[in-house]
Amino acid sequence: MKIAVIGQSLFGQEVYKELRKEGHNIVGVFTIPDKDGKADPLATEAEKDGVAVFKFPRWRVKGQAIPEVVDQYKATGAELNVLPFCSQFIPMEVIDHPQHGSIIYHPSLLPRHRGASAINWTLIHGDKKGGFTVFWADDGLDTGPILLQRECDVEPDDTVNTIYKRFLFPEGVKGTVEAVRLIAEGKAPRITQPQEGATYECIQKKDNSKVTQDRSSFLHQINRSLRQSGGVLLLCFFLRPGIVTKAGLVLFGNDGKTLMVKNLQFEDGKMIAAAQYFRSGSSAAVELTEEEKTFAQQMRDVWQSILTNVSQIEDSTDFFKSGAASMDVVRLVEEVKLRASHCQLQNEDVYMNTTFQDFIQMCVRKLRGEDDEEELVVDYVEKNINNMTIKMPHQLFINGEFVDAEGGKTYQTINPTDGTAICDVSLAQIQDVDKAVAAAKEAFEEGEWGKMNPRDRGRLIYKLADLMEEHQEELATIEAIDSGAVYTLALKTHVGMSIQTFRYFAGWCDKIQGSTIPINQARPNRNLTFTKREPIGVCAIVIPWNYPLMMLAWKTAACLTAGNTVVLKPAQVTPLTALKFAELAAKGGDSKGNPQSDRNEPPPPGALVGQRLSDHPDVRKLGFTGSTEIGKHIMKSCAVSNVKKVSLELGGKSPLIIFSDCDMDKAVRMGMSSVFFNKGENCIAAGRLFVEDTIHDQFVKKVVEEVKKMKIGDPLDRSTDHGPQNHKAHLDKLVEYCQTGVKEGATLICGGKQVQRPGFFFEPTLFTDVQDHMYIAKEESFGPVMIISKFKSGDVDDVLRRANDTEYGLASGVFTRDISKALYVSERLNAGTVFVNTYNKTDVASPFGGFKQSGFGKDLGQEALNEYLKTKAVTIEY
């Protein structure tokens, strides 16, 4: 048959495709106009097949069919109209024209739930059965004879989304195609709809949209029907008052269920976010005093002088739609200052209040002092320690506020210095991860963060760095008690480098740019091709426990600089500095629109949260620092879920080669640092030292002398050199690691056991006579264990072979006074970083990352930005 398909959406697209498969001749597709330059899926599919596509904005004017539109339709010669999903009013001149008339798909069991929102009403009324109807169109609203019906069970927890995806969409496509088949075969019935049981609900009618005492038991059905499709309700009676939260208005029904209302509409038609209800000035316009009216008239005159092309400034006049530019914004802000010096506006205030009425209301509220931001509520755990009072958040940070985990679950975070609990911390669940991702996605797609000028973004990141610096002693103290880091090291490196990282990347915000590319011209026309560097979207960052704050900074700073939003998973054993950072980040926002929801931090229950982030379809990038084993699993999950971008900084067994011509004192000092820095909990720690045989014994002797001088003790003691290991399980692994070394025949010179005192202290350890085949020569200890092997004097290539004989390639080092030898060795060491006559010398401007099974991707430096950006190529023909 010759068929005209009238409609839209993916459903219409699938019906169209199946009808073509059945061999029908689609003579025309009639759909809606393009929206924001993007065609409807039905139109896209038909245009690809070369089928005639008509995009009429309307078929009727003042109730009368448009003759030109009807004529174009009739010219197709259609024998049947199929309306799979159509939001337009189609005139009867079109409905009745074809030989076989018109059939329509409707997502309810007619005559029940005629009209719009049929699926919603199926759920709102608690129907046990749902389904769809294909019926013959007539001049009524869904009243035509029934051709075909199919029904399904409605599950207790069904939503519009689930029932649509499970049954109404797939079976509806099949049913519509089957209806056409019956018509083609001359077997299509016309069953008159019964009047008994017929319903027509219109949610726009107030009587239908009321929820009163006798109907409030339907709250669960209302909730599941509206939460994914939107809707308007008039809420008249509930057993207890609602609660306004940042997410919206929570209402309580007499069935024990709750309903989250996102938007509220007032009698005058004004609509606001429900979360803004009861906030000053949110629900209605403020009434101006005489003095304020005078100010308003002055500003109306200013607008008139700027917008010279507008004959009269109305309340609804839009500043930018009327032609204003950025310089006009600056002028407007200054004009306000001249007339009301204590009304301090920022440019962003104008961008966020573009109509004259909104602008005046905003100015007046500022003049009255009613525009204060809502204060961040933090339930602190406070401790008097290290000559200060530290205040530690302990809840999840999601969507700009600290909240308890789903079900109120918590766990204890432990102080490794004495093994006692610091506090209870909220333990995130899968539902919390989903909330955090949803908040990050909304902040990216709808919030101010995603729309912010890059320089403003940089200003806010600078401000965050300043706040961190103001709290650096508190952050370092928290880091010391939560991770065991020596306070002085935490102050300089854990916190100090974190501050430097945010400052470095803040400067990059307005320097992220693409390029123009010469391409072959499409003669006689010409082409311009350029690239744009764009943020990826929602990024997940999973950080380790050895440098809790610094690893957060390395990844988060680059991620935010690129314009992304973040969901951060700190290590379960060290969550506290991440949560303190979240507090500072929230307070670093100001009234000009820095979203508190661009960073979301759920302290995790181990693999549960990490796995969900790897699998989540709305996460587009995952940055991970941790073990190679877990990194491989994350990489696989990211590939299977949605092929999300991944960067991995994994395990290491970094070689350090010390030649006989080195500066011995410096080699000993830096060799000690390469192993014992941060208690050996250092991803680039020298996992194996190769010492030339002619200086081997001297080197070992000097190291032992220095180890004996190291003070093991409380990390808050300024004279402590070596604090506790991060947690008990890691301490136990180190004990087992050293026992394995002894069993395999390596010589234990010193250490190798737990220090006999409270807490998780481990002695600095030194092994010699370590052979290449031994476990401790191949595997990382991630602790204060120095592994020393000899190499023959002058045999540079052999020691290079041994140094590279590992699946890891994170870092490496060489000590020699011979610059030629140093360059030769550095070229041949297969590692992402090579240190020459130094070690652990990382800098925020230098890229950091590994080779082989130490991962891929870079932190720090300009290259780190590439991990959080995507490149778009645009070609224009002119």
Side-chain angles (χ1 to χ4, degrees), residues 657 659 661-663 814-819 821-822 836-837:
I657 303 173
F659 288 98
D661 62 351
C662 68
D663 178 334
V814 55
F815 279 83
T816 177
R817 285 192 174 95
D818 185 339
I819 188 63
K821 186 190 297 180
V836 178
N837 293 329

Side-chain angles (χ1 to χ4, degrees), residues 24 53 65 111 159 174 193 234 373 391 432 492 496 513 579 595 668 803 858:
H24 296 291
V53 176
T159 65
K174 294 177 185 177
Q193 289 191 38
L234 181 62
E373 287 291 299
K391 302 169 71 174
D432 298 308
K492 177 184 181 296
Q513 56 195 22
L579 293 173
V668 170
K858 297 295 182 183

Side-chain angles (χ1 to χ4, degrees), residues 125-412:
H125 283 275
D127 293 357
K128 301 299 183 184
K129 294 288 185 181
F132 63 87
T133 303
V134 179
F135 67 96
W136 299 94
D138 63 5
D139 58 358
L141 182 59
D142 304 333
T143 56
I146 294 171
L147 192 162
L148 176 150
Q149 282 187 327
R150 297 287 184 269
E151 70 175 36
C152 67
D153 293 331
V154 179
E155 303 296 336
D157 291 324
D158 260 332
T159 65
V160 172
N161 223 1
T162 60
I163 194 172
Y164 185 71
K165 289 182 177 179
R166 186 183 76 248
F167 185 82
L168 296 176
F169 185 101
E171 296 302 320
V173 171
K174 294 177 185 177
T176 304
V177 175
E178 182 181 347
V180 173
R181 188 182 305 128
L182 291 172
I183 294 171
E185 294 172 352
K187 300 177 181 178
R190 292 176 180 261
I191 304 170
T192 301
Q193 289 191 38
Q195 289 304 310
E196 183 180 355
T199 63
Y200 168 64
E201 305 96 344
C202 176
I203 205 164
Q204 283 74 27
K205 291 185 176 180
K206 290 186 177 179
D207 288 342
N208 283 339
S209 58
K210 283 183 180 177
V211 179
T212 55
Q213 181 174 8
D214 61 319
R215 297 183 68 183
S216 58
S217 60
F218 291 142
L219 196 54
H220 174 56
Q221 282 79 12
I222 294 168
N223 182 24
R224 64 193 180 129
S225 71
L226 294 183
R227 69 186 184 206
Q228 286 169 306
S229 63
V232 179
L233 293 176
L234 181 62
L235 303 160
C236 300
F237 180 91
F238 286 93
L239 296 181
R240 52 183 283 198
I243 299 174
V244 177
T245 70
K246 284 193 174 183
L249 173 62
V250 181
L251 298 172
F252 303 88
N254 62 12
D255 56 355
K257 304 293 184 179
T258 61
L259 173 69
M260 177 67 77
V261 180
K262 290 289 188 181
N263 297 299
L264 295 173
Q265 188 171 30
F266 295 89
E267 290 291 337
D268 61 1
K270 181 179 176 64
M271 182 173 284
I272 66 165
Q276 302 295 315
Y277 194 50
F278 288 132
R279 288 186 61 177
S280 175
S282 294
S283 60
V286 297
E287 186 173 348
L288 306 189
T289 65
E290 291 303 317
E291 183 179 356
E292 289 165 347
K293 288 178 181 178
T294 300
F295 169 78
Q297 184 56 51
Q298 291 174 348
M299 297 315 303
R300 194 181 297 272
D301 294 340
V302 170
W303 276 51
Q304 188 72 70
S305 68
I306 295 174
L307 305 175
T308 56
N309 59 314
V310 178
S311 59
Q312 185 175 351
I313 302 298
E314 306 287 350
D315 286 349
S316 59
T317 300
D318 188 287
F319 195 62
F320 297 102
K321 290 180 180 178
S322 299
S326 57
M327 278 302 299
D328 299 315
V329 173
V330 176
R331 176 184 166 185
L332 182 58
V333 169
E334 294 303 314
E335 294 276 12
V336 171
K337 291 178 182 177
L338 287 174
R339 288 158 179 78
S341 59
H342 54 296
C343 182
Q344 296 296 313
L345 298 190
Q346 301 293 330
N347 293 354
E348 290 86 349
D349 291 319
V350 181
Y351 288 115
M352 295 174 67
N353 298 274
T354 61
T355 66
F356 182 76
Q357 182 180 36
D358 289 344
F359 177 79
I360 291 299
Q361 289 285 310
M362 177 269 299
C363 290
V364 168
R365 290 191 184 106
K366 282 184 176 290
L367 288 167
R368 294 182 180 183
E370 296 179 355
D371 67 324
D372 293 337
E373 287 291 299
E374 184 176 340
E375 184 177 354
L376 179 69
V377 177
V378 187
D379 180 24
Y380 292 111
V381 172
E382 296 189 17
K383 287 186 179 294
N384 294 312
I385 191 170
N386 200 25
N387 298 317
M388 70 182 76
T389 300
I390 59 173
K391 302 169 71 174
M392 299 174 289
H394 63 97
Q395 299 167 289
L396 314 184
F397 183 76
I398 298 175
N399 201 21
E401 61 182 344
F402 286 100
V403 295
D404 290 332
E406 185 76 20
K409 294 185 181 294
T410 63
Y411 72 100
Q412 291 185 330

Side-chain angles (χ1 to χ4, degrees), residues 429-440:
Q429 304 300 304
I430 293 295
Q431 299 95 319
D432 298 308
V433 180
D434 292 342
K435 292 174 187 175
V437 173

Side-chain angles (χ1 to χ4, degrees), residues 17 77 98 149 183 193-194 198 239 297 384 401 498 504 533 538 583 594 612-613 620 634 677 707 724 767 875:
K17 288 162 63 176
Q149 282 187 327
I183 294 171
Q193 289 191 38
L239 296 181
Q297 184 56 51
N384 294 312
E401 61 182 344
S498 299
Y504 171 80
R533 309 301 307 282
V538 179
E583 176 201 343
N594 180 33
R612 179 56 181 154
L613 290 172
R620 293 296 172 183
I634 285 176
F677 189 81
V707 168
F767 277 102
T875 296

